[in-house]
Amino acid sequence: MGEVDPAFIQEPEHRPKVSYIEGKGVPLIDLSPILSSNNVSAIEFEGLVKEVGDACKCWGFFQVINHGVPLEKREKIDDASRKFFAQSLEEKRKVRRNEKKVTGYYDTEHTKNVRDWKEVFDFAVEEPTIVPASHKPDDKEVIEWNNQWPEYPPELRETCQDYGQEMVKLAYKLLELIALSLDLPADRFHGFFKDQTSFIRLNHYPPCPTPELALGVGRHKDAGALTILAQDDVGGLEVKQKTDGEWVRVKPTPDAYIINVGDIIQVWSNDTYESVEHRVIVNSERERYSYPFFLLPPLSTMVEPLEELTNKKNPAKYRAYNWGEFISHRSQSNFQKQKVENLQISDFKISE
């Protein structure tokens, strides 16, 4: 990725600033009350639920510590990821993904029709996962989504599968806290993920000679339910503050995970919680690695506001949409530049 191809250059209004605000306000939440084997007081537990609810409402983002994911599993996936990305492009492209093989290596992804300064390796948490053959609504054909695993490093497959199971366990704990914060039963969201299409992405952001022109990932909102992100100490994630629209940098906290609610939770909660725009900054000196887990429901899921959260005073703000069709339509922009912006949940908003 030597010289900067014009495909990477952001429009002037979306280019990152050289100086930045560090997001001290992004909440840091200690999950030990739900992991402790000792009896946790009701006050402590209620306090944790309120913290999560406030973070979802005010920021759409928060960090968690004492989350129960063994550090060793995170270190292993970091080590295997670095070994994989250190290989030649020719080796990496042996497991290159395309419109038919939807997991594997990729280095030409676009966000908002501008190429991202990164390379990625994707794998599905459940193998196989059933996906639609195309994004056309009348196409009923489905295909199996099988992971492509490289020969090197040999431990990558087992490491990734182990890590994926840890992410699923943490996601369910977080879903319970989010459900309780909405005055719903703790297990209200569990049924939506029986045949989940969740996946994990290994991200590598090489040093960029012109970090003031390009972005590792352009501004976007996550389409799924929940994202759990591990990042290294380099940092680069920026979140758009709901209060004033300013971009703030999320300072890396050792061993923490960064959590953000996605579009699906925004719709389920009928806008009580909001999926927030974020992006990734690159720099000219250091490479960066991160590992997001995207919690996604089965493709047959119809996404709409939950009945318990709507009434005459607060009617449903979205029409139901099919998750499979939605995400298939969105994924088309990964492979070619589109003339229009991707499908968004705002396209399903009911006008008042």
Side-chain angles (χ1 to χ4, degrees):
M1 292 187 176
E3 289 302 309
V4 175
D5 184 304
F8 289 105
I9 297 175
Q10 297 282 330
E11 292 296 323
E13 67 269 27
H14 299 304
R15 291 174 191 170
K17 294 176 183 176
V18 178
S19 60
Y20 62 88
I21 305 164
E22 204 155 80
K24 290 177 183 173
V26 176
L28 181 66
I29 299 177
D30 185 343
L31 294 184
S32 55
I34 58 168
L35 299 170
S36 174
S37 55
N38 301 324
N39 290 331
V40 176
S41 72
I43 293 173
E44 270 186 294
F45 187 74
E46 286 168 14
L48 175 58
V49 170
K50 185 178 187 306
E51 270 191 280
V52 168
D54 289 347
C56 290
K57 194 167 209 150
C58 301
W59 279 90
F61 270 81
F62 55 97
Q63 295 193 71
V64 294
I65 54 173
N66 296 321
H67 40 66
V69 179
L71 180 58
E72 173 202 11
K73 306 243 174 170
R74 180 159 162 174
E75 288 172 339
K76 278 186 175 179
I77 200 169
D78 181 69
D79 182 61
S81 177
R82 288 169 189 265
K83 286 178 182 174
F84 171 76
F85 287 121
Q87 296 180 103
S88 68
L89 194 56
E90 182 185 7
E91 281 300 312
K92 289 180 284 193
R93 284 185 171 171
K94 286 180 180 176
V95 288
R96 183 176 170 83
R97 72 177 163 103
N98 54 40
E99 290 181 68
K100 298 288 184 191
K101 297 177 181 176
V102 293
T103 62
Y105 176 77
Y106 204 59
D107 60 351
T108 53
E109 191 158 81
H110 289 69
T111 304
K112 305 288 188 190
N113 281 327
V114 181
R115 191 171 162 190
D116 295 330
W117 190 272
K118 67 176 180 185
E119 54 181 348
V120 309
F121 177 82
D122 291 344
F123 65 94
V125 170
E126 290 200 356
E127 291 190 82
T129 300
I130 307 302
V131 297
S134 80
H135 68 291
K136 296 172 184 172
D138 55 347
D139 189 348
K140 304 302 180 193
E141 186 186 351
V142 295
I143 56 174
E144 282 193 354
W145 184 359
N146 287 296
N147 290 326
Q148 297 190 83
W149 296 107
E151 289 182 15
Y152 182 85
E155 71 272 19
L156 184 70
R157 180 175 189 159
E158 186 179 346
T159 297
C160 287
Q161 289 171 333
D162 285 352
Y163 187 77
Q165 294 314 304
E166 292 295 337
M167 290 298 97
V168 171
K169 283 193 281 187
L170 177 56
Y172 273 76
K173 289 170 189 166
L174 292 165
L175 282 176
E176 289 179 2
L177 291 168
I178 291 169
L180 290 167
S181 74
L182 291 164
D183 293 325
L184 299 168
D187 62 355
R188 179 63 176 92
F189 297 124
H190 288 197
F192 288 112
F193 299 99
K194 186 173 177 291
D195 295 306
Q196 60 186 287
T197 53
S198 306
F199 73 97
I200 290 176
R201 168 164 290 176
L202 311 181
N203 281 318
H204 175 225
Y205 303 95
C208 177
T210 53
E212 71 283 358
L213 298 177
L215 287 168
V217 183
R219 73 198 193 284
H220 68 286
K221 298 181 179 185
D222 289 352
L226 203 64
T227 303
I228 302 175
L229 173 74
Q231 65 168 346
D232 64 16
D233 63 348
V234 175
L237 175 68
E238 290 194 338
V239 175
K240 199 171 194 177
Q241 284 191 139
K242 289 178 68 174
T243 50
D244 56 12
E246 286 290 327
W247 288 103
V248 296
R249 186 82 52 94
V250 182
K251 183 180 179 181
T253 301
D255 307 333
Y257 282 99
I258 299 167
I259 316 298
N260 63 285
V261 297
D263 289 344
I264 289 177
I265 283 182
Q266 177 168 335
V267 174
W268 281 341
S269 73
N270 206 33
D271 282 352
T272 301
Y273 298 156
E274 186 182 341
S275 176
V276 171
E277 245 185 354
H278 50 288
R279 65 185 185 183
V280 174
I281 307 304
V282 286
N283 67 66
S284 59
E285 295 169 9
R286 298 184 67 187
E287 60 186 344
R288 175 179 182 258
Y289 294 86
S290 71
Y291 314 107
F293 163 81
F294 301 98
L295 181 67
L296 312 175
L299 293 159
S300 57
T301 304
M302 294 302 295
V303 181
E304 59 189 321
L306 299 180
E307 283 183 27
E308 306 98 302
L309 301 179
T310 58
N311 52 45
K312 284 185 179 178
K313 289 184 179 177
N314 184 34
K317 295 177 181 176
Y318 296 90
R319 301 191 311 277
Y321 64 88
N322 176 265
W323 169 245
E325 289 176 17
F326 184 86
I327 202 63
S328 297
H329 187 283
R330 288 277 289 255
S331 68
Q332 298 307 302
S333 66
N334 290 339
F335 301 99
Q336 59 190 32
K337 194 164 182 172
Q338 305 290 301
K339 291 179 181 175
V340 294
E341 188 168 299
N342 262 332
L343 195 64
Q344 307 289 337
I345 55 170
S346 55
D347 296 316
F348 299 93
K349 192 103 181 190
I350 297 170
S351 52
E352 293 177 7

